[in-house]
């Protein structure tokens, strides 16, 4: 889990995959923040964005957080599946203690009013049902933990 936390803490964007009512997939990069236990991933989006509309039609999502700065074949990533929803009501203030994350990440603090009616923006949350990491290993070398030399994921929760 430590490896997953480090990857999430050191990256600002996740790739959010959604599906519309007709089953067409859509992937969007979104600035995010996650809680310390990686139970919830938060982002702010317009209600009119395609991924936001898809979440209304189908709340099942998947996401990937990855370090795009590493050398080729040295990939590091966190993957998750879960359900997404708008954060509202009594839960909104608590979520705003997580999002936008530490100021060093560059996100701008937001208020509940900025993500509530009549604003077109909302704070969204994906509750992680499962989390995996891409096992770190040198290219084409066996993973020290699993003995496999292919790209593979280990479930961390």
């Amino acid at each position: 889990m430590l490896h997953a936390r480090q990857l999430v803490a050191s990256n600002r964007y996740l790739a959010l995959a959604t599906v519309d009512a007709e089953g067409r997939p859509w992937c969007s990069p979104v600035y995010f923040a996650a809680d310390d236990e990686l139970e919830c991933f938060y982002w702010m989006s317009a209600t009119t964005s395609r991924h936001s509309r898809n979440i209304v039609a189908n709340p099942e999502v998947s996401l990937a957080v990855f370090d795009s700065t590493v050398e080729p074949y040295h990939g590091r990533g966190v993957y998750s599946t879960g359900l997404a929803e708008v954060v509202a009501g009594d839960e909104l203030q608590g979520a705003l203690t997580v999002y936008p994350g530490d100021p060093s990440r560059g996100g701008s603090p937001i208020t509940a009013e900025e993500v509530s009616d009549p604003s077109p923006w909302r704070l969204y949350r994906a509750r992680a049902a499962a989390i995996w990491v891409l096992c770190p290993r040198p290219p084409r070398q066996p993973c020290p933990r699993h003995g496999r030399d292919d790209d593979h994921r280990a479930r961390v929760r």
Side-chain angles (χ1 to χ4, degrees), residues 4 63 77-81 129-134 153-157:
L63 59 89
V78 174
Y79 306 84
S80 181
T81 58
I131 296 178
W132 299 264
V133 294
L134 182 63
R153 286 136 189 87
R155 190 168 179 165
V156 294
R157 194 187 65 211

Side-chain angles (χ1 to χ4, degrees), residues 29-98:
V30 295
Y31 173 85
F32 80 100
D35 62 20
D36 291 337
E37 297 305 315
L38 306 185
E39 292 176 355
C40 296
F41 295 80
Y42 297 91
W43 67 94
M44 185 174 122
S45 289
T47 57
T48 55
S49 68
R50 189 167 178 177
H51 58 271
S52 298
R53 293 189 324 264
N54 286 353
I55 288 167
V56 170
N58 181 354
E60 292 183 73
V61 298
S62 63
L63 59 89
V65 178
F66 58 94
D67 184 352
S68 65
T69 66
V70 298
E71 295 289 323
Y73 311 109
H74 287 77
R76 303 288 182 260
V78 174
Y79 306 84
S80 181
T81 58
L83 297 177
E85 62 190 347
V86 170
V87 183
D90 295 339
E91 295 183 316
L92 186 54
Q93 286 304 323
L96 291 173
T97 66
V98 176

Side-chain angles (χ1 to χ4, degrees), residues 80-156:
S80 181
T81 58
L83 297 177
E85 62 190 347
V86 170
V87 183
D90 295 339
E91 295 183 316
L92 186 54
Q93 286 304 323
L96 291 173
T97 66
V98 176
Y99 185 89
D102 188 275
S104 67
R105 298 178 74 234
S108 300
I110 60 171
T111 65
E113 292 74 29
E114 291 175 286
V115 290
S116 301
D117 279 335
S119 171
W121 297 92
R122 295 293 178 273
L123 187 64
Y124 289 83
R125 165 180 56 212
R127 293 182 189 265
I131 296 178
W132 299 264
V133 294
L134 182 63
C135 281
R137 62 182 181 77
R140 295 174 293 285
Q141 299 298 311
C143 166
R145 186 169 192 184
H146 302 109
R148 295 174 55 179
D149 62 0
D150 62 325
D151 287 342
H152 60 282
R153 286 136 189 87
R155 190 168 179 165
V156 294

